Amino acid sequence: MITTFIISFLLISINVGFGDKFMTVWLKSWGLAYVMAVPAILIIAPRVEKLVDKIIK
């Protein structure tokens, strides 16, 4: 949650700037980033971990 908060804040501030719509655009982007990150963490990360374990062993 904190990671998506920080990254979305930085990227929106760089790309859009601190204008009138900053908060709206940022909160929308943060929500979308969080919704996308949770499945990635729960589904993709364990598979990547297994693959790395297989490669290293």
Side-chain angles (χ1 to χ4, degrees), residues 46-57:
R47 293 177 182 180
V48 170
E49 186 178 358
K50 285 181 185 177
L51 178 63
V52 170
D53 286 344
K54 205 180 257 190
I55 291 170
I56 291 175
K57 290 181 181 180

Side-chain angles (χ1 to χ4, degrees), residues 1-13 26 30 33:
M1 189 174 207
I2 294 170
T3 303
T4 57
F5 177 89
I6 294 169
I7 292 173
S8 64
F9 179 85
L10 291 174
L11 290 176
I12 296 301
S13 64
W26 173 49
W30 181 30

Side-chain angles (χ1 to χ4, degrees), residues 21-40:
K21 295 186 177 188
F22 175 79
M23 287 300 289
T24 305
V25 172
W26 173 49
L27 291 175
K28 183 178 178 182
S29 297
W30 181 30
L32 182 59
Y34 185 74
V35 167
M36 297 303 292
V38 170

